Amino acid sequence: MTDPVLRLDATIDAIAAHVVDRIVPHARPAIALTGGGTPVLILEELARRPLRWGSVEITLVDDRLVEPSHPASNLGLLTRLLGPTGAQIRPLAEGPIDRLFDLVWCGMGADGHVASIFPQPPLSDDAPPAVIRIVPDPLPPSAPYPRLTLNMAALTRTRELLIVVAGEDKRRMIDRALEGDLTLPVGRLIARADCPITIFWSAR
């Protein structure tokens, strides 16, 4: 585990600038992004940044098993927001991963889950890097769908890990994770990663 950097200036500009700084040094950067509602404004700001978007390969840390046109589809969200930039957007497909990411950007749920690695059912953190199919138990009422997700080894196969969270309840979860609470998926993610970790937090 490396010592995470906790930043309390989680503005849209600060997070977008951090992501850009991690993309620019690489000729063909590969990044994995979170979905859901939290990153929307940040992704909109990223799309306005003058990057060499055609050389950027983007996938997701997880997605719901729905059609891309479905409102719950993270692929659909990513395509709408970053597709016009010309970035190479790759849907998740079940199977092994041998690519080293330049950046993995995760959100976190109020229960401490990251990507679609929930407290239940338990998953082996020692499995080799892969995209796996999972059915959370219980299914989240806001998105009751089976998922594809990077497993723990794939999430940490990266040059840098970024976690973006908002709200006092999630700050408490982050504090527990930083104190070494391995009952939380985010705690195990932080403990396992041997790359730089940056955590952006805002009150709302």
Side-chain angles (χ1 to χ4, degrees):
M1 172 181 169
T2 58
D3 291 331
V5 175
L6 177 60
R7 294 182 56 173
L8 306 180
D9 58 339
T11 64
I12 293 168
D13 282 346
I15 299 168
H18 186 89
V19 174
V20 168
D21 286 347
R22 298 315 179 270
I23 291 175
V24 168
H26 305 287
R28 299 192 63 81
I31 62 178
L33 302 181
T34 186
T38 300
V40 169
L41 294 178
I42 304 164
L43 295 178
E44 288 176 344
E45 175 58 29
L46 270 176
R48 292 189 282 267
R49 302 288 173 116
L51 296 170
R52 301 186 311 275
W53 282 108
S55 67
V56 181
E57 183 176 307
I58 303 174
T59 191
L60 291 150
V61 298
D62 71 325
D63 206 353
R64 291 80 179 248
L65 285 170
V66 295
E67 292 297 319
S69 58
H70 194 285
S73 170
N74 288 336
L75 177 62
L77 175 72
L78 195 60
T79 301
R80 289 193 301 275
L81 296 178
L82 294 183
T85 67
Q88 303 169 54
I89 297 175
R90 309 293 191 206
L92 288 177
E94 196 170 0
I97 287 182
D98 58 7
R99 182 72 186 265
L100 173 69
F101 293 109
D102 296 299
L103 178 71
V104 168
W105 169 2
C106 290
M108 185 197 72
D111 60 355
H113 81 261
V114 288
S116 282
I117 302 176
F118 289 81
Q120 297 294 332
L123 297 174
S124 171
D125 293 342
D126 297 323
V131 177
I132 61 172
R133 188 182 190 277
I134 186 170
V135 180
D137 183 19
L139 283 169
S142 60
Y145 310 104
R147 317 288 183 94
L148 289 176
T149 185
L150 300 184
N151 67 2
M152 196 66 76
L155 289 173
T156 55
R157 191 178 173 81
T158 181
R159 300 183 195 277
E160 179 162 342
L161 181 63
L162 173 64
I163 302 172
V164 179
V165 295
E168 293 295 340
D169 57 340
K170 292 187 180 181
R171 175 63 189 275
R172 288 190 289 272
M173 283 290 178
I174 288 295
D175 287 344
R176 285 175 55 186
L178 293 176
E179 290 166 1
D181 187 342
L182 300 184
T183 67
L184 302 174
V186 67
R188 301 199 305 275
L189 177 70
I190 290 171
R192 180 187 179 106
D194 60 3
C195 62
I197 304 168
T198 302
I199 303 169
F200 278 93
W201 175 85
S202 65
R204 61 171 63 91

